[in-house]
Every structure is written in C-alpha cells, then in structure tokens.
C-alpha cells in the first residue's frame, strides 16, 4: 500500500511538472511539432556574384511561431536548408550587386519545387509559398 501511494505521488508530481512546462511554453495549442524541411536556392548569371539575401526559418519546430527573417551577404550559387512550421510562409529573396539575373527556388525535402522565380537584370527576385498544415 505504501509503495502504491509513493508511485501515485511520483506520477502526480511528474504530471504536474509536465503541465507547468507546457503552460510555460505557451500552452497545449502552441505545441505543434509539425514542420517542413525547406531548401532555399539562389543562382545568378553570371554565376559568381555577391548578393544580399533574406530568408525565413522557424526558430523552434515545437512551437507555433512566425518564421524569423535572416539576412546574409553571400556568393552564388547559394543554398540553405531550414525548418518552417506547418501553415507558415517560406520565403527567400535576393538583390544583386550589379546587373545579374537572379533565380530563386523553394524546395520541399530538397526535391519537390514549391516556388520558383527569375528576376530582371539588376532587380530583386522573390520566391514565397505557405507550407501545408
């Protein structure tokens, strides 16, 4: 009987701790865990060039948060793999330093093309889509 009471007490403490942690992180409705593996690609003609890039990625796949915008200045061709939570916008844009023609793509799991665009010479290019829920 004493062992049963101890086990029940431990379970109550663990359950209460779990509820407290979930509520600390925004409650049950904000914990999703459903996210998409997204690959952003940007290329240019001519190929070797420097561009200003921005892209969206989710800071935490286990919480429903708006993707953060990350800024970078990188040579092309450029790719990055990120996580974007379900139902959120996946977006990449790039601005050339000269008259290059930029192309962007958003891929799901590195294979399925979700969005693609080619800009005009010297102009910004933007690709965006909303991930499925």
């Amino acid at each position: 009987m004493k062992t049963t009471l101890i086990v029940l007490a431990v379970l109550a403490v663990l359950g209460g701790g779990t509820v407290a942690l979930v509520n600390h992180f925004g409650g049950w409705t904000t914990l999703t865990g459903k996210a998409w593996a997204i690959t952003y690609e940007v290329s240019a003609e001519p190929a070797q060039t420097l561009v200003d890039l921005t892209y969206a990625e989710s800071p935490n796949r286990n919480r429903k948060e708006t993707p953060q915008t990350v800024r970078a200045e990188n040579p092309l061709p450029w790719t990055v793999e990120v996580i974007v939570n379900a139902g959120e916008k996946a977006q990449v844009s790039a601005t050339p330093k000269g008259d290059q023609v930029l192309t962007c793509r958003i891929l799901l799991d590195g294979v399925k093309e979700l969005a693609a665009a080619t800009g005009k010479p010297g102009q910004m290019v933007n690709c965006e889509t909303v991930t499925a829920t």
Side-chain angles (χ1 to χ4, degrees):
M1 184 68 166
K2 203 179 234 185
T3 304
T4 304
L5 288 175
I6 292 172
V7 169
L8 289 175
V10 168
L11 289 175
V13 169
L14 287 175
T18 300
V19 169
L21 281 173
V22 168
N23 285 333
H24 173 73
F25 287 111
W28 296 106
T29 58
T30 62
L31 294 175
T32 63
K34 188 173 181 183
W36 300 103
I38 298 293
T39 302
Y40 296 126
E41 295 180 350
V42 178
S43 59
E45 283 298 326
Q48 292 295 331
T49 186
L50 195 64
V51 297
D52 291 320
L53 296 157
T54 61
Y55 62 94
E57 70 176 322
S58 294
N60 186 334
R61 74 175 295 158
N62 294 315
R63 293 185 65 191
K64 185 114 174 107
E65 296 183 35
T66 304
Q68 296 179 345
T69 300
V70 179
R71 289 192 167 277
E73 184 175 86
N74 288 24
L76 297 181
W78 173 85
T79 64
V80 67
E81 294 179 7
V82 301
I83 298 295
V84 175
N85 288 334
E88 297 294 339
K89 183 167 64 170
Q91 183 269 332
V92 62
S93 63
T95 304
K97 297 286 187 179
D99 287 336
Q100 296 87 3
V101 174
L102 300 181
T103 300
C104 63
R105 293 193 325 151
I106 299 175
L107 305 172
L108 175 63
D109 294 329
V111 179
K112 182 180 178 185
E113 187 174 271
L114 299 177
T118 300
K120 295 180 180 178
Q123 298 296 310
M124 180 183 85
V125 66
N126 184 58
C127 290
E128 65 180 58
T129 187
V130 175
T131 58
T133 56

